[in-house]
Amino acid sequence: MSWNFEELQQQAEQESTSISDARALEEFRIKYLGKKGLVAEIYASLPQLSKEEKPAVGKGANDLRNTVSRIIEEKKTAIKQKEKQSSKRFLDVTMPGVALEAGHQHLITQTIEEICGLFERLGFVIQDGPEMETEFNNFSALNIPEDHPSRDGFDTFYLDAQDPTDKTKKLLLRSHTSPGQIRIMKNNKPPLAVIIPGRVYRPDAVDASHSFMFHQIEGLLVDKDVKFSDLKGLLTAFCQRFFGRDIKMRFRPHFFPFTEPSAEVDISWAKGKKDWLEIMGCGMVHPKVFEAAGYPKGKYTGLAFGLGVERIAMLKHGITDIRNFYENDKRFLEQF
Ligand code: DAH
């Protein structure tokens, strides 16, 4: 079989002029350069050719292969270019956009920020404390005796980690935010007014009103001549701002080892209803606590309080199950 290479070259050039997309280009490639394509066929015929014919046919096949390869490269670029331009041309700026759903803060975070914001406006500074604490800060410095039940492993998560400040003790997950008081007092001199929000941990069995992790907000104000009336005035101002002016509240005597006297604050806001709901503990800082923090005896007085964030959010929004906060169900979260 003889080949007219000049004609084949022209034919390839000719055919290529009508190629305008990737599919046509692929067909073209298969026809000439594919396994069973024309160039392969020509190479396959070489063994049957005479010695004299071989070089010319071989060269013709090589040239044809080079031409076709060049055409393919050129076309590829051209097609890409065209696709780019056409996608530009079809951009319709009047088409409605894809709306992105905006997220928002979790109700717990909103509540913490709202409460902290109210105290900030009253002059308090917001501070952080670590969730991993020493037994000293979490209990001893707060005048909680060695045999107090809350120190038991059933009531506190002890970590498998040695306390670097007391090698006989283990570190623990703080069971309340009150150890934040000790940290602040160890490092600062009065007058001071701080708010310490954060997570706390207790090995409670989980039910509608208990979780092994929840949030508290601690408050501490230390100065000379702080009185119980300051505590009452401060917490009344807070409750009225947070729950509304008509809120009814009372200070009910209670016991906490780290305050003396101590009280619990109850509120009642459902009109016509008589039941009181406890929302926080409070009191005047115990002299033993000042002593543990290294303050001189008798020089300062202070007030302290601690409230549970979940509890307050549940009361304010009528939520009946604490587990709702942690389940990440959008149908719940989106309501707030
Ligand atoms: N730490 C207490 C608790 O977890 C709450 C508390 C009560 C904090 C009285 C205080 C306080 O600062 O004065 O139950």
Side-chain angles (χ1 to χ4, degrees), residues 58-313:
K59 183 179 181 300
N62 285 346
D63 287 348
L64 180 61
R65 193 191 56 204
N66 291 339
T67 303
V68 172
S69 300
R70 173 184 52 78
I71 290 172
I72 290 174
E73 283 316 307
E74 283 169 7
K75 281 282 165 191
K76 246 190 214 164
T77 320
I79 290 169
K80 250 192 215 149
Q81 195 70 26
K82 208 180 76 184
E83 273 172 1
K84 245 196 213 160
Q85 272 168 7
S86 66
S87 66
K88 251 186 227 151
R89 209 176 304 137
F90 286 122
L91 174 67
D92 180 355
V93 293
T94 66
M95 254 170 48
V98 182
L100 288 177
E101 231 180 292
H104 65 71
Q105 283 181 327
H106 192 281
L107 181 56
I108 292 295
T109 311
Q110 288 179 42
T111 309
I112 290 175
E113 292 205 347
E114 188 182 350
I115 295 173
C116 289
L118 289 174
F119 282 105
E120 254 186 324
R121 266 165 265 163
L122 293 166
F124 283 74
V125 174
I126 298 172
Q127 289 283 331
D128 244 346
E131 289 169 29
M132 192 165 71
E133 261 300 359
T134 61
E135 237 188 280
F136 180 77
N137 287 345
N138 197 77
F139 296 121
S140 311
L142 291 163
N143 194 33
I144 299 174
E146 284 293 334
D147 56 358
H148 195 278
S150 65
R151 289 195 184 225
D152 196 277
F154 289 113
D155 285 300
T156 300
F157 283 115
Y158 286 89
L159 298 166
D160 198 7
Q162 205 177 45
D163 177 350
T165 62
D166 181 351
K167 303 257 188 294
T168 65
K169 300 264 180 343
K170 285 192 160 168
L171 292 172
L172 48 81
L173 291 178
R174 67 177 173 194
S175 57
H176 51 174
T177 42
S178 303
Q181 294 188 24
I182 307 300
R183 290 183 175 266
I184 296 294
M185 286 195 278
K186 272 187 191 160
N187 297 312
N188 299 278
K189 268 192 170 169
L192 52 88
V194 292
I195 281 288
I196 311 153
R199 290 192 190 95
V200 301
Y201 302 84
R202 292 180 196 177
D204 282 331
V206 178
D207 64 22
S209 52
H210 292 89
S211 162
F212 53 83
M213 183 284 300
F214 57 100
H215 299 76
Q216 283 190 338
I217 295 179
E218 191 80 13
L220 175 71
L221 183 148
V222 183
D223 201 347
K224 288 177 180 152
D225 284 330
V226 182
K227 298 181 208 62
F228 196 84
S229 54
D230 295 320
L231 175 66
K232 275 189 90 169
L234 175 70
L235 296 182
T236 305
F238 161 71
C239 285
Q240 287 182 348
R241 281 170 199 187
F242 188 77
F243 292 105
R245 283 242 149 236
D246 332 324
I247 189 75
K248 273 195 289 177
M249 61 186 291
R250 70 178 184 191
F251 288 77
R252 178 172 37 79
H254 197 75
F255 173 78
F256 294 106
F258 34 94
T259 43
E260 179 60 31
S262 308
E264 277 190 332
V265 177
D266 297 336
I267 59 161
S268 170
W269 65 350
K271 285 195 183 77
K273 268 200 181 170
K274 285 237 177 55
D275 45 340
W276 293 97
L277 298 158
E278 176 225 318
I279 57 160
M280 63 173 120
C282 64
M284 304 307 289
V285 179
H286 197 291
K288 283 264 169 71
V289 176
F290 284 144
E291 194 185 318
Y295 282 179
K297 209 174 170 184
K299 189 164 181 192
Y300 301 112
T301 45
L303 59 85
F305 53 92
L307 52 87
V309 178
E310 277 80 351
R311 207 191 155 99
I312 286 205

Side-chain angles (χ1 to χ4, degrees), residues 27-73:
E27 275 170 19
F28 176 78
R29 186 192 67 78
I30 290 169
K31 177 173 174 186
Y32 288 96
L33 304 184
K35 256 195 211 148
K36 293 178 185 161
L38 190 57
V39 172
E41 196 186 319
I42 299 169
Y43 283 140
S45 71
L46 283 175
Q48 282 116 53
L49 296 182
S50 65
K51 239 188 177 176
E52 294 74 40
E53 283 173 316
K54 265 184 195 168
V57 174
K59 183 179 181 300
N62 285 346
D63 287 348
L64 180 61
R65 193 191 56 204
N66 291 339
T67 303
V68 172
S69 300
R70 173 184 52 78
I71 290 172
I72 290 174
E73 283 316 307

